[in-house]
Each structure stands twice: as C-alpha cells, then as structure tokens.
Amino acid sequence: MSKLTHLDEQGAARMVDVADKAVTQREAIAEGRILMDPKTLAMILDGEHPKGDVLAVARVAGIMAAKKTHDLIPLCHALNLSSVKLAFTPEQEPSSVHVEARCKLSGQTGVEMEALTAVSVAALTLYDMCKAVDKGMEITGVRLLDKKGGRSGHWQAG
C-alpha cells in the first residue's frame, strides 16, 4: 500500500506539490444512488413535483459542486475542469435515481474528488428538492468507478 500523500514526514497535513508532475489528460467517473418511495420517483418522472424539474436543478448543482470541490475539501487543488457531465437514471427496483458524474481536464492532478463531489451534491440536491414529500430517502453507494491519466494510469472499480 502506498503512503498517504497528504501527510508529511512528521504526519502533519499538507497539500501535495504537483508542480513537477506532467500535464496529462485526466478523467474520473463516480456514481451514487438515492433510494426513494415509488410515489416520489413517479412525481419526478412525470414532472409533477411542485418545485419543478428536480433533475435539472440537481444537474446544475452537481456541476457547480465539481467546480467548487477545492472550496469544500481542504487539501484539494483548484482545477480548471474542461468538462463535467451528470447523468440520472431512474430505476424501478429498488425505487431510486442512479447518479453518475464524469469529470475531465488536462492537468497535473486527478479529478476523482470532483466527480465524487458532483455525485454527492447532486444526490443531496435531489434529497433537498423532494424531502417535503419523502423524508425517508437514502443516499447510498457513492464511489469512484473509473479514473484515467497521470502516473498511476487507468483504474477501474472491481
């Protein structure tokens, strides 16, 4: 197992110095899911939610969150993202919305945290938009699926 890169030799937190790293194409894909009552899912899909198009709002929230990851996670670098895409897939069994985020850039550090943050905030936005009708929703399974670029190369979840 590799050493933790955000700790110095004395164990103090530090921001990783990426100045000498090569600029490469980097991409990360993350996923998560929000479980909900079937009536809540139907309301979202039928466009009958009183707050409007909740998936559109969650998409914008996820994109904004990816762009602001460095403001939320203390040791993340501010990145110049070239692309952030979110996809929402409704699922009947179990009643849920699958959220997937794909982040890309040309840079010296990866975009895993941005993809994970995008998924998390998109799911939280769905919760916020729907909590008046379904307080029992559950956000689950937030994880990295795939990352490309950099010294460590390509990695995929098993």
Side-chain angles (χ1 to χ4, degrees):
M1 182 177 235
S2 300
K3 67 177 184 140
L4 297 175
T5 58
H6 285 91
L7 299 177
D8 66 16
E9 294 75 26
Q10 289 75 41
R14 68 174 175 134
M15 188 175 202
V16 176
D17 184 354
V18 298
D20 295 330
K21 286 179 139 186
V23 172
T24 63
Q25 297 292 317
R26 296 165 186 265
E27 179 178 358
I29 303 169
E31 73 171 349
R33 183 171 275 99
I34 182 164
L35 303 166
M36 61 189 66
D37 188 275
K39 292 177 185 172
T40 307
L41 182 60
M43 186 181 289
I44 292 169
L45 297 178
D46 296 341
E48 295 177 2
H49 196 285
K51 291 186 177 181
D53 187 346
V54 297
L55 296 177
V57 175
R59 177 173 284 108
V60 172
I63 293 168
M64 291 175 63
K67 292 167 51 174
K68 292 292 192 175
T69 298
H70 68 281
D71 288 333
L72 302 169
I73 312 290
L75 301 176
C76 283
H77 293 83
L79 301 179
N80 188 18
L81 295 168
S82 59
S83 175
V84 178
K85 294 179 181 174
L86 276 97
F88 300 94
T89 306
E91 299 172 332
Q92 300 299 324
E93 232 3 91
S95 181
S96 60
V97 175
H98 177 263
V99 182
E100 184 177 286
R102 178 183 304 258
C103 296
K104 292 182 179 180
L105 62 69
S106 292
Q108 295 168 295
T109 189
V111 290
E112 298 92 334
M113 294 308 299
E114 287 70 16
L116 288 162
T117 301
V119 164
S120 299
V121 171
L124 286 166
T125 300
L126 289 173
Y127 186 95
D128 182 51
M129 298 284 290
C130 297
K131 69 181 183 275
V133 295
D134 187 359
K135 289 182 180 32
M137 291 175 289
E138 179 183 345
I139 296 168
T140 185
V142 175
R143 68 182 185 138
L144 183 67
L145 289 177
D146 191 272
K147 74 149 279 312
K148 295 176 185 161
R151 188 176 25 195
S152 62
H154 189 193
W155 178 88
Q156 288 184 298

